Amino acid sequence: MKFLPLFDRVLVERFTAETVTKGGIMLPEKSQGKVLQATVVAVGPGTVTKKGDMQPVSVKVGEKVLLPEYGGTKIVLEDKDYFLFRDGDILGKYIE
Amino acid sequence: MKFLPLFDRVLVERFTAETVTKGGIMLPEKSQGKVLQATVVAVGPGTVTKKGDMQPVSVKVGEKVLLPEYGGTKIVLEDKDYFLFRDGDILGKYIE
Amino acid sequence: MKFLPLFDRVLVERFTAETVTKGGIMLPEKSQGKVLQATVVAVGPGTVTKKGDMQPVSVKVGEKVLLPEYGGTKIVLEDKDYFLFRDGDILGKYIE
Amino acid sequence: MKFLPLFDRVLVERFTAETVTKGGIMLPEKSQGKVLQATVVAVGPGTVTKKGDMQPVSVKVGEKVLLPEYGGTKIVLEDKDYFLFRDGDILGKYIE
Amino acid sequence: MKFLPLFDRVLVERFTAETVTKGGIMLPEKSQGKVLQATVVAVGPGTVTKKGDMQPVSVKVGEKVLLPEYGGTKIVLEDKDYFLFRDGDILGKYIE
Amino acid sequence: MKFLPLFDRVLVERFTAETVTKGGIMLPEKSQGKVLQATVVAVGPGTVTKKGDMQPVSVKVGEKVLLPEYGGTKIVLEDKDYFLFRDGDILGKYIE
Amino acid sequence: MKFLPLFDRVLVERFTAETVTKGGIMLPEKSQGKVLQATVVAVGPGTVTKKGDMQPVSVKVGEKVLLPEYGGTKIVLEDKDYFLFRDGDILGKYIE
């Protein structure tokens, strides 16, 4: 069973927070920065424009994106944390 | 007598909350998480777009959907609890 | 003399509150639930869309509807209480 | 000299408050209900729609209307009180 | 040098407040009502509609208008007080 | 190097405040009124309308304009104070 | 790996704050003004207009722009600070 976001929602999985410094010291959870990089896991079909056309979302599954610091909805699928963001709230993407 | 939501409203029935842990211990009501999974029971006809066309809702009767944590209107039909959500507030759906 | 709502307003008459329990005990007014079922008594002509067409309301005189818990304007016509709701605020209707 | 409301404004004159009960007792001003029935005295030309057409107001001079309990602008013309309401704020009209 | 309002702004000059009662008693400034009648002195070219046409303002230079009690921007031109109002905020005009 | 405002922004330079009264008395800074007259120094290209056309701003470089009392963004270019206003916030212009 | 802003977002790099006065005195960080000049580093593809066309942003990579005093989102790319602004929030650009 797969989860499909509706409208212009984008399901992302945040990168794992670094828990060990480069020098090998373990970081307590509080010192770990909020991870804003994420991978797109699923995208909604987009929104219907006023002209009646479907406006697809601007990111694709598998792309690496930069999330805003606030916002997004945490959802749990099979005991794993994901986040839903509106397409328009995603700041940008990393391209090769 | 059947209930038909108006406009882009979607009538859902939440999944039953788990009242017993996997280990067999009964959970007090407070410890039971809010159930966000629901089944679509009835859908409105949609909304009329600015071009005058009917824009149908994005979910169908029988589909399993993920609800937002807040919002929705509880309504009681034949002593059973249902919830009305705007189509655009439903986060996503589960597909096979 | 008849009352005609303007625009997309809908005039409804709420069902009578149950004042006696199934067991025959009279309920004090405070214990009577707020009645959300109502019958449509009169409807406005609708609103003009941006394309210039008249968009009629989605309910008809005589239909049974479900009202939202809050909102609506109480008006008194010939010593009887009625309520005006915007078409878009009516949650749904009961169909046979 | 005549007063002409601009845009979708409607000039109304409220019905006279009943100052004597059916039994002939004079009511002090405080006990007199706010009169919500009014007669349309003058109407504005309407508003221009996005398509560029003039959208006339939905009431005509001489019609009896039901006013909302709040809102409206009191204006005095030749020592007489009138009220200006936006066409869309008038709840409905009484027709024969 | 002349002042030309921009967009849908209307420049008005309020009527002079009555400083003497009909009986000939001079009124202190506090007792003088706020004057809401004004003469249109200059009008802006109007606003461009979504269709790209110029929508002229609804009053003309020289017309007598009724101002709302609040709002408007006082401007001083050659030591004389004038007021700028948006065309849509002017309540109505007096016609012969 | 020249500064070009973006969209419908207008760059203005305020007239110099009068620091000496007509009678020749120097005014302390506090007594100097806020100068609302300004000269247009640069204008943005305008905004794109919904129809896709460029809607130019309503003032031209060199024109004398009346600014609103509040608003505007002070910017410093080569140690001189200028102010940026949205075209729609400029109250009017002085024409010969 | 390159960062690509989405929609009408513009990635800028602020000019370096002057840390030494013209007279050669080092400025403590507090006395250093907020730098509002920046260079455009990357631009989003723009936004889709209601007519369905792509409306590109109004600045180009390499252009010098003037930022508003508040707003913008700080993002860190390869240990360097950048800022994301909406195209419409950038005040103007410097042209030769």
Side-chain angles (χ1 to χ4, degrees):
Chain A
M1 206 158 81
K2 221 181 110 187
F3 179 77
L4 184 74
L6 290 178
F7 297 96
D8 61 343
R9 290 188 184 87
V10 175
L11 186 74
V12 299
E13 187 185 346
R14 288 176 191 268
F15 287 14
T16 316
E18 280 169 44
T19 53
V20 180
T21 64
K22 288 178 183 180
I25 297 157
M26 279 198 58
L27 284 165
E29 198 154 319
K30 258 183 155 177
S31 306
Q32 297 168 17
K34 198 174 180 180
V35 178
L36 299 179
Q37 279 83 20
T39 306
V40 176
V41 173
V43 298
T47 43
V48 176
T49 67
K50 295 202 173 168
K51 282 200 67 179
D53 308 314
M54 182 60 78
Q55 173 69 28
V57 298
S58 57
V59 293
K60 291 195 194 72
V61 171
E63 286 188 324
K64 311 296 175 211
V65 295
L66 182 69
L67 304 175
E69 198 158 350
Y70 302 104
T73 304
K74 181 176 150 182
I75 68 169
V76 182
L77 299 171
E78 289 162 24
D79 295 324
K80 214 166 151 182
D81 286 2
Y82 295 91
F83 291 84
L84 274 175
F85 281 86
R86 295 262 151 181
D87 182 38
D89 291 339
I90 295 176
L91 298 177
K93 58 185 173 187
Y94 299 93
I95 53 173
E96 303 295 320
Chain B
M1 206 159 81
K2 221 180 110 187
F3 180 77
L4 184 74
L6 290 178
F7 297 96
D8 61 343
R9 291 188 184 87
V10 174
L11 186 74
V12 299
E13 187 185 347
R14 288 176 193 268
F15 286 15
T16 316
E18 280 170 43
T19 53
V20 180
T21 64
K22 289 177 184 181
I25 297 156
M26 279 199 58
L27 284 165
E29 197 154 320
K30 259 183 153 176
S31 307
Q32 296 169 17
K34 198 175 180 179
V35 179
L36 299 179
Q37 279 83 20
T39 306
V40 176
V41 172
V43 298
T47 43
V48 176
T49 67
K50 295 202 173 168
K51 282 199 67 180
D53 307 314
M54 182 61 78
Q55 173 70 28
V57 299
S58 57
V59 292
K60 291 196 194 72
V61 171
E63 285 187 326
K64 310 295 175 212
V65 295
L66 182 69
L67 304 174
E69 198 157 350
Y70 302 103
T73 304
K74 182 176 150 182
I75 68 170
V76 182
L77 300 170
E78 290 162 23
D79 295 324
K80 213 165 151 182
D81 287 3
Y82 294 90
F83 291 84
L84 274 176
F85 280 85
R86 295 261 151 182
D87 182 39
D89 291 340
I90 296 176
L91 298 177
K93 58 185 173 187
Y94 299 93
I95 52 173
E96 304 295 320
Chain C
M1 206 159 80
K2 220 181 110 188
F3 180 77
L4 183 74
L6 290 177
F7 297 95
D8 61 341
R9 291 187 184 88
V10 175
L11 186 74
V12 299
E13 187 185 347
R14 288 176 193 268
F15 286 16
T16 316
E18 280 170 44
T19 53
V20 180
T21 66
K22 289 177 184 182
I25 297 158
M26 279 199 58
L27 284 165
E29 197 154 320
K30 259 184 154 176
S31 306
Q32 297 168 16
K34 197 175 181 180
V35 178
L36 300 179
Q37 278 83 21
T39 307
V40 176
V41 173
V43 299
T47 43
V48 176
T49 67
K50 295 202 173 167
K51 282 199 66 178
D53 307 314
M54 183 60 78
Q55 173 69 28
V57 299
S58 58
V59 292
K60 291 197 194 69
V61 171
E63 285 188 326
K64 310 297 176 210
V65 295
L66 181 69
L67 304 174
E69 198 157 349
Y70 302 104
T73 303
K74 181 177 150 181
I75 68 170
V76 182
L77 300 170
E78 290 163 22
D79 294 324
K80 213 165 151 182
D81 286 2
Y82 294 90
F83 291 83
L84 273 175
F85 281 85
R86 295 260 150 181
D87 181 39
D89 291 338
I90 296 176
L91 298 177
K93 58 186 174 187
Y94 298 93
I95 52 173
E96 305 294 320
Chain D
M1 206 159 79
K2 220 179 109 189
F3 180 76
L4 183 74
L6 290 178
F7 297 95
D8 61 343
R9 291 187 183 87
V10 175
L11 185 74
V12 299
E13 187 185 347
R14 288 176 192 269
F15 286 17
T16 316
E18 280 171 43
T19 52
V20 180
T21 65
K22 288 177 184 181
I25 297 157
M26 279 198 57
L27 283 166
E29 198 154 320
K30 260 185 154 176
S31 306
Q32 297 168 17
K34 198 175 180 181
V35 178
L36 300 179
Q37 278 84 20
T39 307
V40 176
V41 172
V43 298
T47 43
V48 176
T49 67
K50 295 202 174 169
K51 283 198 66 178
D53 308 315
M54 183 60 78
Q55 173 69 28
V57 299
S58 58
V59 293
K60 291 196 194 71
V61 171
E63 284 189 325
K64 311 296 176 210
V65 294
L66 181 69
L67 304 174
E69 198 157 349
Y70 302 104
T73 303
K74 181 177 150 181
I75 68 169
V76 182
L77 300 170
E78 290 164 20
D79 294 323
K80 214 166 151 182
D81 286 2
Y82 294 90
F83 291 84
L84 274 175
F85 280 85
R86 294 262 151 181
D87 181 38
D89 291 339
I90 296 175
L91 298 177
K93 57 186 174 187
Y94 298 94
I95 53 174
E96 304 295 319
Chain E
M1 204 158 79
K2 220 181 109 189
F3 180 76
L4 183 74
L6 289 178
F7 297 95
D8 61 343
R9 291 187 183 87
V10 175
L11 185 74
V12 300
E13 187 185 346
R14 288 175 192 270
F15 286 16
T16 316
E18 280 170 43
T19 53
V20 180
T21 65
K22 289 177 184 182
I25 298 157
M26 279 198 58
L27 283 166
E29 198 154 319
K30 260 183 153 177
S31 306
Q32 297 168 16
K34 198 175 179 180
V35 178
L36 300 179
Q37 279 84 20
T39 307
V40 176
V41 172
V43 299
T47 42
V48 175
T49 67
K50 294 201 175 169
K51 282 198 67 179
D53 308 315
M54 183 60 79
Q55 173 69 30
V57 299
S58 57
V59 292
K60 292 197 194 71
V61 171
E63 285 188 325
K64 311 296 175 211
V65 294
L66 182 69
L67 305 175
E69 198 157 349
Y70 302 104
T73 303
K74 181 176 150 182
I75 68 170
V76 182
L77 299 171
E78 290 164 21
D79 295 323
K80 213 166 152 182
D81 286 2
Y82 294 90
F83 291 84
L84 274 175
F85 281 85
R86 295 261 151 179
D87 181 38
D89 291 339
I90 296 176
L91 299 177
K93 57 185 174 188
Y94 298 94
I95 53 173
E96 303 294 320
Chain F
M1 204 157 80
K2 220 181 110 188
F3 181 76
L4 183 73
L6 290 178
F7 298 95
D8 60 344
R9 291 188 183 87
V10 175
L11 186 74
V12 300
E13 187 185 346
R14 289 176 191 269
F15 286 17
T16 317
E18 281 171 42
T19 53
V20 180
T21 64
K22 289 177 183 181
I25 297 157
M26 279 198 58
L27 284 165
E29 198 154 320
K30 260 182 152 177
S31 306
Q32 297 168 15
K34 199 175 178 179
V35 179
L36 301 178
Q37 279 84 19
T39 307
V40 176
V41 172
V43 299
T47 43
V48 176
T49 67
K50 295 201 175 170
K51 282 199 67 179
D53 308 314
M54 182 60 78
Q55 173 69 29
V57 299
S58 57
V59 293
K60 290 196 195 72
V61 171
E63 285 188 325
K64 310 296 174 211
V65 295
L66 182 69
L67 304 174
E69 199 158 348
Y70 302 104
T73 303
K74 181 176 150 181
I75 68 169
V76 182
L77 299 171
E78 290 163 23
D79 294 324
K80 213 165 152 183
D81 286 2
Y82 295 90
F83 291 83
L84 274 175
F85 281 85
R86 295 262 152 180
D87 182 38
D89 291 340
I90 296 176
L91 299 176
K93 58 185 172 187
Y94 298 94
I95 52 173
E96 303 294 319
Chain G
M1 207 158 80
K2 221 181 110 188
F3 180 77
L4 184 73
L6 290 178
F7 298 96
D8 60 343
R9 290 188 184 87
V10 175
L11 186 73
V12 299
E13 188 185 345
R14 289 176 191 269
F15 286 15
T16 317
E18 281 170 43
T19 52
V20 180
T21 65
K22 289 177 182 179
I25 298 157
M26 279 197 60
L27 285 166
E29 197 153 321
K30 259 183 153 177
S31 306
Q32 297 169 15
K34 198 175 179 180
V35 179
L36 300 179
Q37 280 83 20
T39 306
V40 176
V41 173
V43 298
T47 43
V48 175
T49 67
K50 295 201 174 169
K51 283 200 66 180
D53 308 315
M54 183 61 77
Q55 173 70 29
V57 299
S58 57
V59 292
K60 290 195 195 72
V61 171
E63 285 188 325
K64 310 296 174 211
V65 295
L66 181 68
L67 304 174
E69 199 158 348
Y70 301 103
T73 304
K74 181 176 150 181
I75 68 169
V76 182
L77 299 171
E78 289 163 24
D79 294 324
K80 214 166 151 182
D81 286 2
Y82 294 90
F83 291 84
L84 274 176
F85 280 85
R86 294 263 152 179
D87 182 38
D89 291 339
I90 296 176
L91 299 176
K93 58 185 174 187
Y94 299 93
I95 53 174
E96 304 295 319

